Amino acid sequence: MNRISEVSFRAVSLTTASRFAEASALYREVFGYDDPAYGLNPRLLGALASNGGSVVGILDESDQLVAFAYGFCATDRRGFYHYSQSAVVAAGQQGRGLGRMLKHAQKEVALSHGMSRMRWTYDPAQIRNAHFNLDVLGARGRWFAPDMYGPGTDRVVVEWDLTREHPATPTPVAELAVPTTDLRGSFEALLGKGLVAVSCRRRPDGTGVYYFAAADDA
């Protein structure tokens, strides 16, 4: 954790009904959800916390919840993994390293339950998020999910190996500039060739570029 995080904030697992209610309220506040259909049930968080899920938060010096994430155990034909469904940081606390603290707090929960991999999704058009996931954490963009939450919500699914320290970025074999006229088609084509996204960097003009490497090297 960076110095400001060590001094000002602490990561905790949320375990009480009052904390689950705080997390639910923070979730609605950050995303601006008014419709109950998009809310997050505090009882669901309690069930996850009691059954192998991650319900973690960041508290400031006044013990106020300023960031929150939750996830759960999932499986596919490759085996079990921890899926991080959502992470939010209060508007006034963004850019202070709390996102990294959340992910590492989830990592500790996942490892304690025997998970060695974590997955989550992000919008590939968001260069800052891409850089955080791929370069800061060392996750790899392995799959593409078109219209995951409905029309216009394409997502990249990343996987993070929890047993490795931050891996070195392998030699790229392909690049993709962002923005592009066909981000979906480009991602599907590159990942379909067996490549994975390993880095995303912002250029001086504000645009970005993804770098892809062979899956075996990543």
Side-chain angles (χ1 to χ4, degrees), residues 114-126:
M115 303 293 105
S116 61
R117 296 175 293 143
M118 186 188 300
R119 295 180 191 172
W120 63 93
T121 68
Y122 76 94
D123 181 348
Q126 299 298 318

Side-chain angles (χ1 to χ4, degrees), residues 54 72-84 103 106-120 139 142-143 157-164:
S54 61
F72 47 85
C73 177
T75 185
D76 63 9
R77 287 179 292 181
R78 298 178 64 209
F80 291 96
Y81 58 93
H82 192 84
Y83 186 79
S84 176
K103 276 292 182 281
Q106 285 191 297
K107 172 183 176 179
E108 294 305 313
V109 174
L111 288 171
S112 73
H113 290 290
M115 303 293 105
S116 61
R117 296 175 293 143
M118 186 188 300
R119 295 180 191 172
W120 63 93
R142 296 189 177 276
W143 303 280
V157 183
V158 298
E159 185 171 72
W160 190 21
D161 186 343
L162 306 180
T163 66
R164 299 173 61 187

Side-chain angles (χ1 to χ4, degrees), residues 17 23 44 46 57 60 67-68 81 117 129 131 153 166 174 188 193 214:
L44 171 63
D60 65 12
F68 153 72
Y81 58 93
R117 296 175 293 143
N129 285 350
H131 176 71
T153 60
H166 197 298
E188 290 181 327
K193 294 178 181 179

Side-chain angles (χ1 to χ4, degrees), residues 134-135 138-140 142 164 166-174 196-199 211-218:
L134 304 178
D135 296 284
R140 299 299 186 230
R142 296 189 177 276
R164 299 173 61 187
H166 197 298
T169 301
T171 301
V173 297
V196 297
V198 297
S199 178
Y211 298 93
F212 295 79
D216 291 342
D217 296 332

Side-chain angles (χ1 to χ4, degrees), residues 40-68:
L40 181 59
N41 192 325
R43 293 186 178 184
L44 171 63
L45 298 180
L48 291 174
S50 300
N51 293 279
S54 61
V55 184
V56 299
I58 307 297
L59 305 180
D60 65 12
E61 292 176 330
S62 63
D63 211 37
Q64 179 179 354
L65 185 71
V66 294
F68 153 72

Side-chain angles (χ1 to χ4, degrees), residues 127 178-179 200-209 211:
I127 301 304
V178 180
C200 187
R201 302 282 181 172
R202 188 178 295 277
R203 292 170 167 167
D205 63 0
T207 62
V209 57
Y211 298 93

